[in-house]
Amino acid sequence: MEYEDILAALNVKQLNKLKDSNLRFSEILGLEIPFYDGLGFPPALIPIANSIGSFQYFGAFLYDIVDSKVSFVDLMIDDSELFEIGLNEKQFCYYLARRSLQDYLEEDPDISSEIYQLCSLLGVDEFNSLQTIDEQNYLRLDVFRSGIPKYFQTRQGGTTYGKTGFDLEAVAKLKRLKKSAVNFS
């Protein structure tokens, strides 16, 4: 089964449209779509994209296998950190659109038509307001009425549901042990 089929089975349909477009995601988002499958990721993550130049995945995180419930996350592999950036697909689409508008449009105004096309593919209608909106007002958009992802609430890793797919504390403990073993020898 392909990742796109898994996403469709989880009712994640808007994002599946991205793979068929001919947008230059590396230039308008700093992401590789479809993702590069060579970095390794936890089994609960269904990758959608990976960051260009860093070990980072963006994708759907299956936090409830029985009921097939997902949230959307940014997984930083080197730091073993998982940041919830969308409670649903629509919030994740807004996150991607805002990232593109704020991080890439300012650097290169010539890509505005591609970013507008991206927003359209993602189903994001607030193209003009997302360019100038601050974070406080961003989180007041209708798309966040159902709830605010944990990262935007606390600026900390993890998910709203408290499940991360792997034990971040155990990973941190192993890193400390490894570091102390190196210092010991």
Side-chain angles (χ1 to χ4, degrees):
M1 181 179 267
E2 296 292 321
Y3 287 102
E4 293 83 5
D5 299 329
I6 295 169
L7 290 171
L10 294 170
N11 205 26
V12 177
K13 298 182 177 158
Q14 198 71 33
L15 293 166
N16 263 340
K17 295 176 184 178
L18 295 178
K19 70 175 179 59
D20 296 326
S21 75
N22 54 357
L23 294 173
R24 299 173 300 154
F25 295 111
S26 61
E27 296 191 26
I28 62 173
L29 263 176
L31 299 177
E32 190 171 340
I33 301 173
F35 70 96
Y36 168 68
D37 189 13
L39 304 177
F41 49 86
L45 181 73
I46 298 116
I48 294 166
N50 62 282
S51 184
I52 303 289
S54 67
F55 297 109
Q56 186 175 8
Y57 276 118
F58 293 85
F61 179 74
L62 187 61
Y63 67 86
D64 186 336
I65 294 172
V66 175
D67 293 326
S68 298
K69 293 182 181 176
V70 298
S71 62
F72 293 84
V73 298
D74 171 359
L75 170 66
M76 302 182 88
I77 297 168
D78 285 346
D79 300 329
S80 299
E81 282 285 356
L82 182 75
F83 298 96
E84 182 179 65
I85 52 179
L87 296 176
N88 54 50
E89 182 183 20
K90 189 73 170 173
Q91 288 180 359
F92 184 63
C93 288
Y94 269 69
Y95 172 84
L96 292 176
R98 187 165 184 248
R99 171 188 166 116
S100 182
L101 288 164
Q102 291 189 337
D103 294 350
Y104 293 89
L105 184 60
E106 289 178 10
E107 290 180 20
D108 185 1
D110 294 336
I111 62 173
S112 64
S113 64
E114 277 191 89
I115 292 176
Y116 181 76
Q117 200 176 355
L118 171 71
C119 290
S120 179
L121 269 174
L122 293 173
V124 174
D125 303 322
E126 290 88 351
F127 177 77
N128 292 325
S129 65
L130 279 179
Q131 290 181 65
T132 57
I133 197 167
D134 64 10
E135 187 164 315
Q136 188 174 18
N137 287 315
Y138 170 69
L139 296 174
R140 289 184 181 143
L141 292 173
D142 285 343
V143 72
F144 292 104
R145 284 197 181 173
S146 61
I148 296 175
K150 183 174 182 179
Y151 177 71
F152 294 117
Q153 291 177 31
T154 65
R155 291 289 188 233
Q156 295 179 354
T159 68
T160 300
Y161 308 100
K163 300 172 185 168
T164 61
F166 53 93
D167 187 349
L168 296 176
E169 185 55 38
V171 171
K173 186 176 182 179
L174 285 172
K175 282 184 176 181
R176 287 191 299 272
L177 287 172
K178 185 177 176 183
K179 190 180 274 187
S180 65
V182 170
N183 292 337
F184 181 72
S185 50

